[in-house]
Amino acid sequence: MALPSLHTRLPLEWSEDLPEPVPPTEKPRFGRYLEVLREHPDSRPLGPEEPDPVGLAALQHIPGSLRLRFLDKLYAAFRPTEPARLDRFIDAYLLLARQGFSILPIRSRSRRRLAQATTHALELMQILFRAHWHQNRIPPREWWARFLATFRGAGAAHLFAVRGPSLVGDTATTPLRPSARLLLQAATNPHAWESELHAHLEQFLQLLSEDVLLFPAASPSAYVESRRGRFVFDAAGDQPPVLPDGLDPRKPTAKAHAPDWWIIDASRALSRLTELRRNLDLGAAPARLHPLLAETPEAPRRILLQRLERILGRGNRRRRTPLPVPRPVHVAVGMEQAVRHCFAGRWSRSGDPATLKANVRLQSEVLAHPSATPEAGGWEAVEWDEAGIRLRGQGVGSGTLVGKPVLILDLEESPDTSTPRMQAGLVRWHQDLPASGGVQAGVELLPGHLHDGWCRISWSMGNALQEQPVLLLTQSQGPTSMLMPAGLFRSGAPFNIRIDNRDRLGEMIQLAEPGVHFEHVHVRLKDTP
């Protein structure tokens, strides 16, 4: 049988062949699939004894359009969520697309069926990407190679504008839409979001992907000097998109190949975010701007708009130089732990970790603020500059640290008779490393002279009864700010902060950054001009 033309098949080029189909047993091959579908297993998961979807796609004596229809029904019946089962469905759709649907080199229904099979494979890849994201893991390079090969093949077959029914939605779509959503999600760093925001983030990315453009580029430096909101990726490679910096973003370990550079242009999505945030700040009703804004609670909506605008609008990628030797540091996670360790570090007068931990435990026993986890975790700093630090740890806990305030204590930097070097920061991203069993995290360091204290806020009904842990950051040339637990900011609200035995009065001015676990607030101290 002659191979179909590029009009009706997907030109996939993989380093490895597709997995062999698992043949059904006990029944005729196609009849077994029909029997499974007649059972309507709406609530029953797809077990290992069920017919393999790749086996259905490999039945070449059945017309390709019929195989595609029954493959859609098989997925709709079981809706698998396991990565291994999703991989088999992706392989099945790609096998259909690679085999093609017709040998006639004309535009016909076969073109729509080819676009439909390709779109369904890309939509399932997006679900699989989301599974990696929710597990806080980086998709392997093999996964990126398969996705980018499918994206490249859809472009070579001119399928980006061919519409067809969606596998996971109610409206028709093209292979370009799920590709744009997935690439946008990768560009916005999916490991930089708290789990409480995941559901709302997916809805916002679905909305913003409508304004994303994808187009080829001559080189990775073609748009370095252009507007914000652009990312670059190699469609012939196996790595996620990155910010352009004028250099080749491929890693030294990448395979040697002729690159196929593409640009993700999210500048229109960035302008839309800015407009929505500005209109909300001016008092516009969320329902009048977009229904999604009205459906999203106010606190997550504020965090999403500001953080998406910051991530999509950040400048060119910075290449930090790794430290010659990883430096051991202690990291106190959470507002209360950061305040306790800052106080203990100031009064320990020693770089001994045991003395520091003893002073932290002593606070938990004496003060009226009990703590369940008084000890800081041990990490290694692998990159460090004035703006941020990249940490790597082994067995430091399974929970994600994204969006949490931290205190970095560099005990080795300090002599035995001085206080340790301490800096406050915010965890911007956090990833698990399955290969080594460890984790890595990126921390943005906050500028200013650090003061730890306990704050009591004056509300309209009277003073708060409970003191809240806060970190005060003072600068000689910049604004004074305060890091505090989330949900406490009120514009113009006075407060009293207790630092050691001294009380300082102040007033909240502006919310610099909201978060799920913190609020970064600009303040004015009464004893400061």
Side-chain angles (χ1 to χ4, degrees), residues 161-178:
V162 182
R163 300 183 65 84
S166 172
L167 184 66
V168 297
D170 299 330
T171 59
T173 186
T174 66
L176 190 61
R177 285 301 94 203

Side-chain angles (χ1 to χ4, degrees), residues 69-345:
R69 183 184 306 174
F70 277 96
L71 192 59
D72 289 345
K73 290 184 178 181
L74 190 66
Y75 175 80
F78 292 99
R79 295 284 178 179
T81 57
E82 302 85 359
R85 182 60 67 178
L86 282 172
D87 272 329
R88 298 301 290 180
F89 273 95
I90 294 172
D91 289 339
Y93 281 112
L94 293 181
L95 180 60
L96 269 178
R98 189 168 66 172
Q99 291 174 348
F101 292 86
S102 173
I103 62 173
L104 298 176
I106 59 175
R107 299 181 182 275
S108 63
R109 293 181 179 177
S110 299
R111 293 273 296 160
R112 292 194 292 271
R113 297 189 184 106
L114 176 61
Q116 179 181 345
T118 307
T119 300
H120 292 180
L122 291 169
E123 288 177 327
L124 292 182
M125 289 182 190
Q126 186 184 8
I127 296 176
L128 195 55
F129 180 84
R130 190 184 305 132
H132 285 289
W133 166 36
H134 288 174
Q135 294 175 2
N136 204 37
R137 296 185 177 182
I138 307 173
R141 295 174 63 173
E142 295 79 10
W143 184 94
W144 278 108
R146 180 169 64 167
F147 165 73
L148 293 173
T150 306
F151 174 83
R152 188 171 67 251
H158 307 288
L159 297 177
F160 284 155
V162 182
R163 300 183 65 84
S166 172
L167 184 66
V168 297
D170 299 330
T171 59
T173 186
T174 66
L176 190 61
R177 285 301 94 203
S179 301
R181 287 197 300 269
L182 196 154
L183 290 169
L184 178 63
Q185 192 168 15
T188 53
N189 193 356
H191 303 285
W193 300 89
E194 298 88 337
S195 58
E196 295 87 346
L197 300 175
H198 285 177
H200 301 300
L201 175 62
E202 293 179 11
Q203 294 177 336
F204 272 75
L205 292 178
Q206 173 76 15
L207 172 64
L208 296 177
S209 65
E210 301 172 359
D211 298 322
V212 172
L213 301 177
L214 303 176
F215 51 87
S219 69
S221 60
Y223 296 92
V224 173
E225 303 299 333
S226 62
R227 70 182 77 177
R228 299 182 305 162
R230 283 181 171 169
F231 303 83
V232 63
F233 68 97
D234 179 13
D238 56 3
Q239 298 178 25
V242 296
L243 282 165
D245 60 358
L247 302 176
D248 192 334
R250 291 176 295 176
K251 297 180 180 179
T253 57
K255 62 179 181 180
H257 64 278
D260 182 13
W261 300 111
W262 281 71
I263 293 294
I264 307 173
D265 187 358
S267 56
R268 294 196 304 176
L270 181 60
S271 300
R272 188 174 188 177
L273 281 171
T274 304
E275 182 181 0
L276 291 175
R277 182 186 56 80
R278 184 182 298 116
N279 289 334
L280 287 174
D281 291 342
L282 293 175
R288 298 188 61 182
L289 299 177
H290 195 277
L292 177 59
L293 298 180
E295 297 170 0
T296 308
E298 180 181 359
R301 182 178 65 221
R302 187 191 314 118
I303 297 172
L304 285 166
L305 289 175
Q306 184 168 343
R307 196 179 300 179
L308 280 171
E309 186 178 359
R310 175 176 56 83
I311 292 178
L312 291 179
R314 63 189 188 272
N316 295 338
R317 186 163 60 112
R318 299 177 56 188
R319 293 175 181 256
R320 291 189 174 95
T321 303
L323 295 174
V325 178
R327 181 185 301 172
V329 295
H330 283 250
V331 181
V333 180
M335 185 60 62
E336 185 172 344
Q337 290 304 305
V339 170
R340 291 181 185 277
H341 282 81
C342 186
F343 179 85

Side-chain angles (χ1 to χ4, degrees), residues 348-356 411-412 414-420:
S348 294
R349 300 295 180 184
S350 170
D352 180 27
T355 303
L356 176 69
L411 302 180
E412 292 194 354
S414 308
D416 293 339
T417 58
S418 65
T419 59

